Amino acid sequence: MSVIEVGQQVVTMVNVFTVAPENQRRLVELIVEATETVMRDVDGFISANIHSSLDGTRVVNYAQWRSVEHFEAMHRNPLVHPHFTDIRAIASPEMHLYRVDYVEEVAAVR
Amino acid sequence: MSVIEVGQQVVTMVNVFTVAPENQRRLVELIVEATETVMRDVDGFISANIHSSLDGTRVVNYAQWRSVEHFEAMHRNPLVHPHFTDIRAIASPEMHLYRVDYVEEVAAVR
């Protein structure tokens, strides 16, 4: 379970991958694999939340890191590079870092 | 506070707006205004989570709806149209609907 809230000590990465529908499942598997074998042990990792679009053409990784510095250090970690190479072979990432400005929740679904 | 979790009865909309940095604040205000004046009262709305990119060029609305049908009915609601017009005057949306496939959280930040 991950939480979106204003004022948390996190930086949010939203990475939208464009993918051919026939590769969408494989892409989700590769990102899960990268998360489980490397990312979750990297200093500053908080969460990864992997979503697949209903139309088959996108995968979103909504990830939370402790700080921009932690996120940038992850990119210098050689263990992550083979995973990025595998992912980029079948998908085009579009990645930005964000702050949370506003949260409105009207109905608890839990 | 919004929660991302596998198996919730929600459909997730991720809308990535491309915007000129000088309009990023105004765009966030317009999406907050649309959420507070219309969206949160629409049947099936669960949450809106508005993020601004640190580089100034993007705004993400990560929103949760009860179902695809609720989300589509919202688009037929005439009250929302003026808000969409104002938003599109300064930003280009790229919107898809998603299911949550996988959540990994290693560090509670709360």
Side-chain angles (χ1 to χ4, degrees), chain B residues 1 6 8 30 32 39 41-42 46 57 60-61 98-99:
Chain B
M1 184 186 105
V6 176
Q8 286 188 114
L30 287 173
V32 169
M39 292 298 177
D41 299 319
V42 173
I46 294 170
T57 67
V60 163
N61 187 5
Y98 295 85
R99 75 179 67 81

Side-chain angles (χ1 to χ4, degrees), chain A residues 56-88:
Chain A
T57 67
R58 297 289 186 282
V59 171
V60 163
N61 187 4
Y62 181 104
Q64 296 170 315
W65 289 82
R66 187 70 60 189
S67 70
V68 175
E69 292 68 31
H70 285 100
F71 179 76
E72 289 175 347
M74 175 271 288
H75 278 269
R76 293 191 296 272
N77 183 331
L79 290 175
V80 310
H81 296 160
H83 293 282
F84 286 172
T85 303
D86 290 350
I87 287 167
R88 288 198 179 114

Side-chain angles (χ1 to χ4, degrees), chain A residues 32-41 79 83:
Chain A
V32 169
E33 193 179 293
T35 304
E36 297 198 335
T37 60
V38 181
M39 292 296 176
R40 71 177 173 190
D41 299 319
L79 290 175
H83 293 282

Side-chain angles (χ1 to χ4, degrees), chain B residues 6 10 12 19 24 29 33-34 37-38 45 47 49 53-54 60-63 65 68-69 71 73 89 94 101 103 110:
Chain B
V6 176
V10 306
T12 301
V19 63
Q24 192 193 38
E29 288 166 10
E33 193 179 294
T37 60
V38 181
F45 174 87
S47 79
N49 303 271
S53 72
L54 306 187
V60 163
N61 187 5
Y62 180 104
W65 289 81
V68 174
E69 292 68 30
F71 179 76
E94 158 83 12
D101 289 313
V103 171
R110 300 173 289 285

